[in-house]
Amino acid sequence: MASNSFRGSKRGRHAQANHDVGDFNCSLKELRSLMELRGPEGIARIQECYGDVQGLCTRLRTSPIDGLGGHADDIARRKEEFGPNVIPPKKPKTFLQLVWEALQDVTLIILEVAAIISLGLSFYRPPDAERENCGKAAGGVEDEGEADAGWIEGAAILLSVVCVVLVTAFNDWSKEKQFRGLQSRIEQEQKFTVVRGGQVIQIHVAEIVVGDVAQVKYGDLLPADGVLIQGNDLKIDESSLTGESDHVKKTLDSDPMLLSGTHVMEGSGKILITAVGVNSQTGIIFTLLGAGEDEDDDEDGKSQDGAGVEMQPLNSDDEGEEKKKAHPKKEKSVLQGKLTKLAVQIGKAGLFMSGLTVIILITLFMVDTFWIQGLPWIADCTPIYIQFCVKFFIIGVTVLVVAVPEGLPLAVTISLAYSVKKMMKDNNLVRHLDACETMGNATAICSDKTGTLTMNRMTVVQAYLGDRHYRKVPESDLIPGKVLDLLIMGIGVNCAYTSKIMSPEKVGGLPRQVGNKTECALLGFVLDLRHDYMTIRNEIPEEKLFKVYTFNSVRKSMSTVLKNADGSYRMFSKGASEILLKKCCKIMTASGEAKVFKPRDKDDVVKNVIEPMASEGLRTICLAYRDFPPVDGEPDWENETDILTGLTCLCVVGIEDPVRPEVPDAIKRCQRAGITVRMVTGDNINTARAIASKCGILHPGDDFLCIDGKEFNRRIRNQLGEIEQERIDKIWPKLRVLARSSPTDKHTLVKGIMDSTVLEPRQVVAVTGDGTNDGPALKKADVGFAMGIAGTDVAKEASDIILTDDNFSSIVKAVMWGRNVYDSISKFLQFQLTVNVVAVIVAFTGACITQDSPLKAVQMLWVNLIMDTFASLALATEPPTESLLLRKPYGRNKPLISRTMMKNILGHAVYQLTVIFTLLFTGEQIFDIDSGRYAPLHAPPSEHYTIVFNTFVMMQLFNEINARKIHGERNVFDGIFKNMIFCSIVFGTFIIQIVIVQFGGKPFSCVGLSIDQWLWCVFLGFGCLLWGQVVTTVPTSRLKFLKSAGHGTQQEEIPEDELEEMEDQDEIDHGEMEMRRGQVLWCRGLGYKLRIIRVVNAFQDTMSPYEGLETPESRNSIHNFMTTPEFRIEDSEPQIPLIDDTEGEDDAPTKRNASPKTGGIPQSAALPPRPGSPLHSLETSL
């Protein structure tokens, strides 16, 4: 056995090595080249260079049984020699890069250009001509000093542009920082099981080093490359690296090479780690991709994301084609589709109004100067005329700036980021931002039972053995000796060696259950019988097990074969009682002898033992064994049907998994909020029904369905065995419990509910799961919740949100936060659209009547800053309240702006416009001041226009308070002091406004106001709150002319040719449709290409939703770098299409096997990545 330390004749051994390999008899290069080989080639290389895996362990100074010694200096030396298990993250964008990106905004560029022209022309003086000769508007400035100050407006615009850019860049920077924090949080939670110093321990993935002996089991994601030391029925999904969808069986004789980033889909084993970090197979690809990125930086930042690696084919020349596929039409989320469409419509209206403003201003100026005043065109006056045109152009651009809601992406981002941060505290770790908002629309939750609704702390409470049903665990002296010995031996070896009972963390606490909880219950049963399972395990270590049939969702049982000294074999089995009892032909009696177990006896056991246990909510497990005498010769171990028959039943145990105390209340809250909760479990139907009743999913007297997987499949399939949507539609509305369900059943149910059109609104489905078998349904659902404690890596990777406490009540909090996001966006929209309508109409009308906008460019930019950045921050950070759970879900087609909100927007606009126009045209008489209308080009600021501007801002401030309520509530102050961000922003804005008016001077076109004038401005602003009560009083139902806005695009609104082209995708991005009509031909060509090389494989699709940002998916450690595994569900119904994301259920199997058509492109490559940011189409459009 290899020594674990570096003492002794280490240097002497080095002298014998014929190459310089530092402290080890194995170089990094050697190991890298070894891991590039597969199958027989890998075995040949191991035999040629090292003799066998044992020899490789010796060269790496490790023990296949005890692992590394775990000394800090040894670990540090290995990290130095072979590298750490970390892939260096891509550098974040610097603040200057983010500033540069913010400067790319089209409206800002237009403003900058206009301001620079204005700045340049303000210094120009016509040499000969008097200014009066250039028209009335150009002259009339008494103070020459004022004329010299003409440059101030241009400079002020540039300054305000700088402010906007810095604010935007800072927001992006803090967003990126937050996502990196989220990523490191995800990474810190990832641990892996290794053997060090003979002890099985869990360490952080980044701490794994070459030479570690790691234990792998069903559901794990491999964090590094390794060579198999010992395996039980080990099957790996390597599709993320090779594109090969079939699971690869790993044995010492056929293929012992295991690669990082691949998933264990079945079995368990031990591996020797041979390559980590950038030297592992995944790391090598990652490094290559990183180098490619640096050379040719992607504009859209898609491949900056680690998860993008999987989309790069390893053996394909068509990389150019892959690049083109970076923009498929796929909707990011329900909210995003509505927002994008709304923003585009508002933007178009703003563009039209600003263009019209400029045209009218220029026309009026020309008519006034050359026709009414009858002046000739003087060459020397040309710069003055240009200066006027620039001034008009700036007014037009500011109208556009105010009209375009560039605060929308900011509001969405702030709202989602704020929610994500707060949801962390509520035990929801959000992996995909848009899942947070989608959850608010959820109408159905399909929940797993074990660990989600129940505590996942299992204990054996009843047993049937020796012909007796014990209502509590019997004393060991009541059990016949032979039965007891078989029972303890069977449980000891036929439970995964990773499952064990540990001493409690706190004195007097419950013992800790590590590993599979059902197996822990059985091990606890052994301890209750006053025996120790570890003595059995020490006698028979895992290496001595002859064969293991690991548990999977098809077998529903686990069996372990031991070889005896006389050449005979003994097999121990455990599994679902009603399935395993059918395979028993004998049963142990009270005397310790086996008797024949007739079908009638089986029925009696089912009726008198299993059903009563199940009706009490117990999970029933049967334990059995079988002897294979040597005279029968070696059995055919691959023929499972023959092996797993003729068993002798030892006992049936009833395992209790208590319902979590908070679950019944959480389910009641869900039902009140209009969300249907369904339980989908692999358990016995009676157990499932009992637990569902305890949880409140089923109530006595309810007309609801509670069926098992077999019955479910019988009802949804036609004579040909094909699934029909109409048949599913007859079942799902009443279905509440689906028991004994396979992964396929769960996926079929989720897909059936999502595709159904029988109920309005369309269903939005959330799914919870913890096992690898839950992966397909988690991936298919609108929102997938994985369990953070009990969940496998595969389940977590397929999910959108991880429940860090495995608790169903955390889902209710996610619903609250999701609904809150939706309402926050609506509040912001109500506020912003009121300002938009008023500002645009004031600027347009004022410009047309007085040839000058009452609100100057810099003032408009300040208003824009209030209503965009500050308001989005204030309104998007409103905390959720319980009242959110008192209404039904909005659903997919609910408009963003309801008729009530439209009433509020128009009602407040009427009040504000009345006030502004009154002040504009009669203000000088009311306040007895000079009129500010018809002022010449460089006239000083007037009190008149300052009052107009100040009143306008005051009205926005008070209207921001009104915007806190969108459902017609009267008390707009309710809970205002719970949101300190809101209070501080409103107060802060008010202080800044005082400073601007009193000391802003020429740059802000303001003069100081008296106390009286200030009080009038504040009073007129406060009028908004009073007017709000009047608007609320008017019943919305009476205002027939009101229309809602911000719907998602309906299917029938889309032109047929575009629908044809999109029918292969899951969903359609309505915003991109609006924006990119010009790219239809390109898209169509792409559509045809996609069809040719498309492979039905929805689980490869894991691109990041955070465009251009380091995200939870851009992985720092190899453990993080992964695709979602290729889920293959083998079931008794081979015709069930696997993970079918297309509409055509019938032709899915042929598509599944369509790899020959791909022309050498692996399936992972053939799929288009998901678009980047959830705000992608919105940000690009604006």
Side-chain angles (χ1 to χ4, degrees):
M1 189 150 303
S3 163
N4 288 344
S5 74
F6 284 87
R7 300 181 191 87
S9 58
K10 184 173 62 180
R11 296 291 167 214
R13 284 199 295 269
H14 283 177
Q16 294 164 15
N18 54 6
H19 38 57
D20 178 23
V21 287
D23 282 336
F24 304 92
N25 293 343
C26 210
S27 71
L28 176 62
K29 194 174 176 187
E30 251 180 66
L31 291 174
R32 262 181 80 152
S33 63
L34 169 66
M35 294 318 296
E36 281 166 8
L37 303 173
R38 303 277 182 279
E41 294 170 354
I43 296 171
R45 172 71 66 86
I46 291 172
Q47 287 168 349
E48 178 191 321
C49 299
Y50 314 105
D52 58 6
V53 179
Q54 178 75 44
L56 181 56
C57 289
T58 311
R59 297 275 282 271
L60 286 171
R61 312 281 161 79
T62 186
S63 153
I65 291 169
D66 294 333
L68 296 176
H71 307 296
D73 57 341
D74 176 15
I75 302 294
R77 200 173 294 132
R78 286 172 189 274
K79 281 188 180 177
E80 196 180 322
E81 186 82 24
F82 300 108
N85 192 26
V86 171
I87 295 178
K90 189 165 167 55
K91 285 180 192 156
K93 288 182 182 171
T94 63
F95 189 72
L96 285 176
Q97 281 174 308
L98 294 169
V99 166
W100 176 246
E101 280 180 14
L103 278 168
Q104 309 302 309
D105 187 82
V106 180
T107 43
L108 287 182
I109 291 171
I110 295 170
L111 264 182
E112 287 155 24
V113 171
I116 290 165
I117 294 172
S118 165
L119 206 57
L121 289 171
S122 65
F123 293 114
Y124 179 83
R125 292 283 165 275
D128 306 322
E130 288 293 318
R131 287 180 70 86
E132 280 78 9
N133 298 345
C134 300
K136 272 192 300 192
V141 183
E142 297 87 20
D143 183 2
E144 270 305 309
E146 285 289 354
D148 293 336
W151 60 274
I152 290 178
E153 186 173 35
I157 291 174
L158 283 180
L159 191 67
S160 48
V161 166
V162 168
C163 283
V164 171
V165 165
L166 288 176
V167 167
T168 311
F170 178 75
N171 271 318
D172 287 346
W173 176 80
S174 56
K175 197 163 61 176
E176 184 156 339
K177 190 175 162 210
Q178 196 172 356
F179 290 150
R180 279 177 181 268
L182 182 67
Q183 174 192 341
S184 64
R185 162 88 189 258
I186 289 175
E187 288 196 355
Q188 282 161 14
E189 294 194 344
Q190 285 170 338
K191 293 187 172 181
F192 209 74
T193 310
V194 296
V195 181
R196 283 192 181 170
Q199 293 294 313
V200 178
I201 57 168
Q202 286 210 321
I203 60 171
H204 285 297
V205 165
E207 293 300 312
I208 292 174
V209 291
V210 169
D212 259 324
V213 172
Q215 288 192 342
V216 297
K217 62 183 185 306
Y218 156 85
D220 277 348
L221 166 86
L222 299 184
D225 293 355
V227 176
L228 191 65
I229 297 173
Q230 172 264 326
N232 304 321
D233 208 10
L234 199 59
K235 287 184 185 167
I236 305 285
D237 168 30
E238 294 188 345
S239 57
S240 58
L241 283 180
T242 61
E244 179 54 59
S245 62
D246 288 337
H247 296 166
V248 183
K249 195 162 187 176
K250 297 286 177 182
T251 61
L252 288 167
D253 314 326
S254 63
D255 184 1
M257 306 308 214
L258 285 90
L259 307 174
S260 56
T262 59
H263 293 82
V264 182
M265 300 310 277
E266 220 172 284
S268 62
K270 263 189 196 171
I271 62 169
L272 169 69
I273 303 292
T274 51
V276 294
V278 290
N279 300 307
S280 67
Q281 291 304 294
T282 300
I284 292 166
I285 300 166
F286 212 128
T287 315
L288 288 173
L289 196 81
E293 269 173 31
D294 293 341
E295 287 161 26
D296 136 288
D297 215 0
D298 247 355
E299 273 178 39
D300 58 13
K302 294 279 186 305
S303 51
Q304 290 167 6
D305 190 319
V309 179
E310 295 95 67
M311 312 315 293
Q312 297 297 325
L314 303 187
N315 52 357
S316 154
D317 303 324
D318 301 27
E319 289 189 24
E321 262 182 43
E322 290 302 312
K323 286 273 194 297
K324 279 185 205 164
K325 283 174 214 153
H327 292 289
K329 286 182 183 282
K330 188 168 166 86
E331 188 168 65
K332 272 69 71 185
S333 70
V334 180
L335 178 68
Q336 205 45 51
K338 294 175 183 177
L339 272 181
T340 307
K341 192 176 177 205
L342 188 67
V344 170
Q345 288 167 344
I346 296 171
K348 283 179 180 173
L351 195 62
F352 172 74
M353 291 298 279
S354 62
L356 200 59
T357 309
V358 175
I359 292 166
I360 290 175
L361 281 170
I362 293 176
T363 311
L364 283 175
F365 173 72
M366 295 293 186
V367 169
D368 181 55
T369 307
F370 300 116
W371 187 27
I372 297 174
Q373 294 179 40
L375 292 174
W377 180 285
I378 302 168
D380 287 337
C381 285
T382 307
I384 300 265
Y385 299 147
I386 291 173
Q387 218 167 332
F388 268 109
C389 290
V390 169
K391 178 187 167 187
F392 299 148
F393 184 64
I394 288 174
I395 291 169
V397 172
T398 43
V399 171
L400 180 63
V401 168
V402 174
V404 170
E406 65 274 52
L408 263 184
L410 189 63
V412 177
T413 309
I414 290 174
S415 185
L416 288 176
Y418 172 76
S419 301
V420 165
K421 201 171 177 183
K422 292 288 186 188
M423 282 169 80
M424 288 269 216
K425 293 177 183 167
D426 286 341
N427 303 307
N428 286 289
L429 182 64
V430 181
R431 291 180 67 248
H432 300 137
L433 260 188
D434 54 352
C436 166
E437 157 262 313
T438 310
M439 199 53 218
N441 285 318
T443 54
I445 297 174
C446 293
S447 175
D448 207 22
K449 176 181 77 71
T450 310
T452 315
L453 301 173
T454 59
M455 290 172 80
N456 204 15
R457 181 175 180 84
M458 303 205 186
T459 41
V460 172
V461 290
Q462 293 187 23
Y464 174 80
L465 42 76
D467 288 339
R468 253 187 90 182
H469 184 177
Y470 295 93
R471 293 283 168 180
K472 59 178 198 269
V473 177
E475 294 294 322
S476 55
D477 49 8
L478 295 174
I479 303 170
K482 186 184 176 187
V483 176
L484 188 62
D485 292 345
L486 283 167
L487 202 55
I488 288 158
M489 167 80 84
I491 291 174
V493 298
N494 193 33
C495 286
Y497 279 39
T498 48
S499 300
K500 47 187 179 285
I501 306 281
M502 310 276 281
S503 52
E505 282 175 340
K506 292 176 186 164
V507 183
L510 291 166
R512 281 183 297 145
Q513 297 186 335
V514 178
N516 182 295
K517 296 298 186 282
T518 309
E519 293 183 336
C520 287
L522 294 171
L523 296 173
F525 181 47
V526 171
L527 298 176
D528 290 344
L529 294 171
R530 313 279 166 80
H531 284 70
D532 185 8
Y533 63 88
M534 280 314 291
T535 51
I536 302 283
R537 288 184 172 184
N538 293 336
E539 276 173 39
I540 308 171
E542 205 169 358
E543 292 74 32
K544 286 193 181 173
L545 303 179
F546 180 76
K547 179 152 185 70
V548 178
Y549 297 95
T550 52
F551 180 88
N552 66 27
S553 54
V554 178
R555 287 189 189 121
K556 295 240 188 266
S557 67
M558 173 180 176
S559 305
T560 301
V561 183
L562 301 176
K563 189 170 185 179
N564 301 324
D566 61 357
S568 66
Y569 298 94
R570 174 168 282 172
M571 177 178 78
F572 291 100
S573 294
K574 69 169 192 292
S577 53
E578 63 267 41
I579 292 172
L580 219 54
L581 275 180
K582 288 177 186 164
K583 298 176 179 175
C584 292
C585 63
K586 291 181 182 173
I587 187 166
M588 297 301 268
T589 60
S591 60
E593 297 303 315
K595 69 165 188 182
V596 178
F597 196 31
K598 295 175 183 157
R600 193 173 45 201
D601 299 338
K602 289 181 191 174
D603 293 343
D604 286 347
V605 170
V606 169
K607 194 173 170 187
N608 301 325
V609 177
I610 293 175
E611 285 182 3
M613 281 185 184
S615 63
E616 290 175 40
L618 304 183
R619 167 180 280 191
T620 56
I621 300 285
C622 176
L623 301 165
Y625 80 102
R626 179 183 176 184
D627 284 327
F628 297 91
V631 291
D632 294 352
E634 176 100 4
D636 175 9
W637 298 111
E638 295 308 312
N639 187 349
E640 276 185 52
T641 3
D642 287 355
I643 298 290
L644 208 65
T645 187
L647 304 176
T648 303
C649 174
L650 283 169
C651 83
V652 174
V653 293
I655 296 177
E656 182 182 47
D657 185 9
V659 171
R660 287 176 180 271
E662 61 279 1
V663 161
D665 180 54
I667 286 178
K668 193 185 282 178
R669 287 165 71 198
C670 278
Q671 289 165 344
R672 196 175 59 210
I675 301 169
T676 307
V677 182
R678 294 180 175 84
M679 182 201 287
V680 184
T681 177
D683 252 351
N684 175 311
I685 189 159
N686 294 325
T687 308
R689 188 183 284 123
I691 298 283
S693 300
K694 286 181 188 174
C695 292
I697 293 174
L698 291 175
H699 298 287
D702 280 349
D703 177 25
F704 286 136
L705 274 178
C706 182
I707 58 177
D708 63 12
K710 198 177 274 183
E711 173 66 9
F712 176 69
N713 275 296
R714 192 185 63 73
R715 291 196 189 190
I716 63 170
R717 293 174 187 278
N718 59 20
Q719 290 80 2
L720 302 170
E722 294 162 344
I723 296 169
E724 289 183 354
Q725 182 65 43
E726 298 79 48
R727 288 169 179 258
I728 297 179
D729 287 347
K730 286 177 187 165
I731 294 175
W732 74 259
K734 284 192 172 184
L735 183 68
R736 288 296 175 273
V737 176
L738 181 59
R740 281 281 179 253
S741 61
S742 69
T744 322
D745 297 338
K746 195 167 186 177
H747 177 263
T748 306
L749 176 66
V750 171
K751 183 178 186 303
I753 297 176
M754 286 170 69
D755 292 348
S756 175
T757 51
V758 290
L759 290 186
E760 274 302 320
R762 287 271 304 282
Q763 299 287 300
V764 177
V765 183
V767 167
T768 72
D770 55 3
T772 304
N773 55 353
D774 293 323
L778 285 170
K779 193 73 190 167
K780 176 67 190 168
D782 290 297
V783 182
F785 285 91
M787 301 298 130
I789 302 167
T792 60
D793 292 328
V794 176
K796 289 177 189 174
E797 231 2 75
S799 70
D800 300 298
I801 298 176
I802 296 171
L803 296 175
T804 53
D805 63 345
D806 288 15
N807 194 333
F808 186 85
S809 59
S810 300
I811 297 174
V812 182
K813 289 175 184 162
V815 172
M816 259 168 75
W817 277 108
R819 292 186 175 190
N820 194 52
V821 167
Y822 221 87
D823 279 7
S824 295
I825 304 302
S826 292
K827 288 170 189 176
F828 174 70
L829 271 174
Q830 178 173 308
F831 174 69
Q832 180 163 38
L833 292 181
T834 310
V835 189
N836 275 11
V837 169
V838 175
V840 169
I841 292 177
V842 167
F844 175 72
T845 317
C848 296
I849 297 172
T850 67
Q851 295 182 31
D852 186 12
S853 171
L855 299 173
K856 300 293 181 285
V858 180
Q859 294 173 352
M860 288 272 218
L861 285 170
W862 164 237
V863 169
N864 205 39
L865 199 66
I866 298 175
M867 71 182 200
D868 275 1
T869 310
F870 296 162
S872 59
L873 197 59
L875 293 168
T877 52
E878 286 272 316
T881 59
E882 281 289 328
S883 61
L884 288 166
L885 293 176
L886 298 176
R887 63 167 173 77
K888 296 279 183 274
Y890 281 149
R892 291 183 194 269
N893 300 328
K894 165 85 168 57
L896 269 179
I897 302 168
S898 62
R899 292 178 71 229
T900 306
M901 285 168 63
M902 194 61 90
K903 175 186 77 176
N904 292 343
I905 291 168
L906 295 178
H908 286 291
V910 166
Y911 171 79
Q912 293 188 16
L913 287 171
T914 308
V915 171
I916 295 286
F917 284 136
T918 306
L919 289 178
L920 185 59
F921 295 111
T922 61
E924 70 274 22
Q925 294 152 24
I926 296 171
F927 290 103
D928 193 21
I929 48 177
D930 294 332
S931 170
R933 294 192 302 281
Y934 307 111
L937 190 61
H938 293 297
S942 64
E943 273 183 302
H944 183 191
Y945 272 24
T946 305
I947 289 173
V948 172
F949 164 60
N950 199 26
T951 307
F952 181 72
V953 171
M954 288 300 118
M955 288 195 293
Q956 302 326 316
L957 276 185
F958 284 102
N959 195 33
E960 202 165 329
I961 298 171
N962 272 328
R964 291 184 67 247
K965 303 294 174 191
I966 51 173
H967 298 301
E969 298 95 328
R970 282 208 176 276
N971 184 4
V972 290
F973 293 101
D974 182 31
I976 193 167
F977 293 114
K978 286 182 186 167
N979 186 0
M980 290 321 292
I981 299 178
F982 183 89
C983 297
S984 48
I985 282 177
V986 170
F987 186 69
T989 310
F990 185 66
I991 299 296
I992 297 171
Q993 179 64 15
I994 293 174
V995 173
I996 286 174
V997 170
Q998 297 304 111
F999 311 106
K1002 180 75 181 166
F1004 279 94
S1005 308
C1006 287
V1007 289
L1009 299 179
S1010 67
I1011 292 287
D1012 284 1
Q1013 291 165 336
W1014 262 104
L1015 287 172
W1016 273 107
C1017 293
V1018 173
F1019 173 73
L1020 291 169
F1022 183 76
C1024 271
L1025 290 177
L1026 303 174
W1027 180 253
Q1029 296 301 312
V1030 176
V1031 172
T1032 306
T1033 312
V1034 179
T1036 313
S1037 52
R1038 292 281 176 86
L1039 307 172
K1040 301 290 185 198
F1041 61 88
L1042 285 179
K1043 292 276 187 291
S1044 52
H1047 298 263
T1049 309
Q1050 305 299 314
Q1051 194 86 355
E1052 53 273 15
E1053 291 175 34
I1054 304 165
E1056 258 177 53
D1057 56 339
E1058 289 192 25
L1059 257 179
E1060 270 174 37
E1061 164 199 323
M1062 295 166 190
E1063 65 193 358
D1064 278 345
Q1065 270 97 32
D1066 288 347
E1067 289 153 334
I1068 296 154
D1069 183 337
H1070 318 301
E1072 287 186 14
M1073 257 173 47
E1074 287 266 350
M1075 291 304 297
R1076 303 187 184 172
R1077 299 275 188 203
Q1079 295 178 8
V1080 165
L1081 283 173
W1082 181 82
C1083 287
R1084 193 170 293 159
L1086 173 64
Y1088 291 138
K1089 275 197 179 140
L1090 277 175
R1091 274 179 216 167
I1092 296 164
I1093 63 165
R1094 190 168 166 282
V1095 178
V1096 178
N1097 176 2
F1099 302 112
Q1100 299 279 2
D1101 181 13
T1102 55
M1103 287 306 278
S1104 160
Y1106 314 133
E1107 177 183 9
L1109 296 172
E1110 195 70 25
T1111 72
E1113 261 105 88
S1114 36
R1115 306 302 195 183
N1116 277 14
S1117 74
I1118 288 196
H1119 187 68
N1120 291 354
F1121 162 71
M1122 54 168 67
T1123 61
T1124 308
E1126 170 78 25
F1127 296 102
R1128 292 184 67 234
I1129 305 171
E1130 295 153 1
D1131 210 346
S1132 46
E1133 270 83 342
Q1135 72 274 41
I1136 302 176
L1138 181 60
I1139 311 307
D1140 171 21
D1141 264 0
T1142 58
E1143 295 302 312
E1145 189 78 58
D1146 308 343
D1147 56 0
T1150 51
K1151 288 182 187 168
R1152 173 162 179 69
N1153 301 322
S1155 45
K1157 292 187 196 170
T1158 61
I1161 298 174
Q1163 298 190 8
S1164 56
L1167 271 155
R1170 197 179 279 165
S1173 151
L1175 308 168
H1176 171 69
S1177 54
L1178 188 53
E1179 283 167 342
T1180 47
S1181 69
L1182 297 177

